[in-house]
Amino acid sequence: MDTFLAIASRRDERRYASEVITADTVERILDAGRLAGSARNLQPWSFVVPTDRGRIERLGAAVYVPENVTSAGLVVALLIHGKDTATFDAGRAAQNMLLAAWNEGLASCPNGVADPGAARDVLEAGEDERVAIVLSFGLPQKLRDTEARGADEWSQRANRRPLADLVRWLR
């Protein structure tokens, strides 16, 4: 898939079909996160993958929209440690995973953490670890034909501020 087409066509999806995600696909998603760059190559993250249904339910209760997590075929929490750049670096890892999942035909959604203490407990986080984000993945209930439009058309259809409102040129 063309990278810009992948970026332009990907949307956060919150409704997943009940199909199982293969182990190979899970590994590719996690490896995409591992491959993300980080400041001084410190890789200040851990990827925690809960598989026990009860643990997933408890983690779901700690995010803003529990159903995003509890209905997912794969849940990955990114835990970070270290300096302020760790949050940015975790974002790079998360975006890699979201795009890798899209390339595999999966939908995904980042989930904000409403109760960080509960999430830390469920994920058995270390003393120096914080929960950066919880990602949910699954086969989308409604399949989208990415190739039906070009990247420019996907970009125009995106519910985003116009580029001209975001960019300031300093001359």
Side-chain angles (χ1 to χ4, degrees), residues 16 65-67 71 77 89 101 118 122 130 140 143 150:
Y16 309 115
V65 183
E67 299 79 32
S71 68
D89 291 345
V122 169
R130 318 183 287 289
L143 296 176

Side-chain angles (χ1 to χ4, degrees), residues 44-167:
W45 53 63
S46 295
F47 308 143
V48 180
V49 183
T51 57
D52 173 74
R53 178 71 11 220
R55 190 179 297 269
I56 292 169
E57 295 285 337
R58 291 192 315 274
L59 182 58
V63 302
Y64 288 106
V65 183
E67 299 79 32
N68 293 352
V69 170
T70 60
S71 68
L74 170 65
V75 177
V76 179
L78 277 76
L79 275 58
I80 56 174
H81 60 275
K83 301 190 180 212
D84 292 337
T85 57
T87 303
F88 178 78
D89 291 345
R92 294 172 72 185
Q95 188 70 9
N96 274 13
M97 286 190 256
L98 298 172
L99 286 169
W102 187 234
N103 188 62
E104 297 291 327
L106 297 177
S108 58
C109 185
N111 299 276
V113 179
D115 187 342
R120 289 184 83 259
D121 290 345
V122 169
L123 298 168
E124 299 180 10
E127 284 185 32
D128 66 334
E129 292 180 310
R130 318 183 287 289
V131 181
I133 196 78
V134 176
L135 305 176
S136 54
F137 302 90
L139 191 69
Q141 282 185 355
K142 181 181 176 188
L143 296 176
R144 181 178 301 145
D145 183 4
T146 305
E147 306 286 333
R149 299 181 180 93
D152 289 340
E153 188 176 348
W154 281 110
S155 178
Q156 290 170 357
R157 290 171 162 252
N159 183 17
R160 300 290 186 268
R161 290 173 44 201
L163 189 58
D165 291 354
L166 300 173
V167 178

